[in-house]
Amino acid sequence: EKLVKQSDKLGPWFMEKLSAIESKSIVTVRGKGLWVGLVLNKPARPYCEALMAEGMLCKETHENVIRIAPPLTIKRKDVTWAIRRITKVFKALG
């Protein structure tokens, strides 16, 4: 299924799109492949809860990092769906 190749292709694109989100709360976007972390300058839990309400599961780590770890079988259209939800949440919460 070429999952590693897909991860190598989608991951950097995903991080690029996340880095383009305009929010004073995002310090940096880091990751490897599709395993991505959004480092915030405030607690991540409210963002994770808002994303869950939007249908997206993620995990806060180290109190201020949102960990996003989609399955390697994810398609670009699904990553685009996630980017829209994440952008919406950051616009709402700051």
Side-chain angles (χ1 to χ4, degrees), residues 9-77:
K9 183 178 176 183
L10 277 180
W13 177 80
F14 188 23
M15 285 187 278
E16 178 185 321
K17 295 297 184 185
L18 292 174
S19 294
I21 295 172
E22 293 183 22
S23 172
K24 293 179 182 178
S25 300
I26 300 173
V27 174
T28 190
V29 178
R30 64 183 183 202
K32 180 147 179 104
L34 284 166
W35 199 359
V36 177
L38 290 168
V39 181
L40 310 181
N41 59 12
K42 53 179 63 177
R45 182 129 185 132
Y47 293 88
C48 291
E49 290 174 354
L51 287 166
M52 184 173 63
E54 290 291 324
M56 186 176 159
L57 295 178
C58 55
K59 170 81 171 112
E60 83 278 358
T61 60
H62 305 289
E63 293 187 36
N64 69 321
V65 178
I66 300 172
R67 179 188 299 157
I68 304 168
L72 294 178
T73 56
I74 196 166
K75 302 294 182 203
R76 188 178 177 116
K77 68 181 177 82

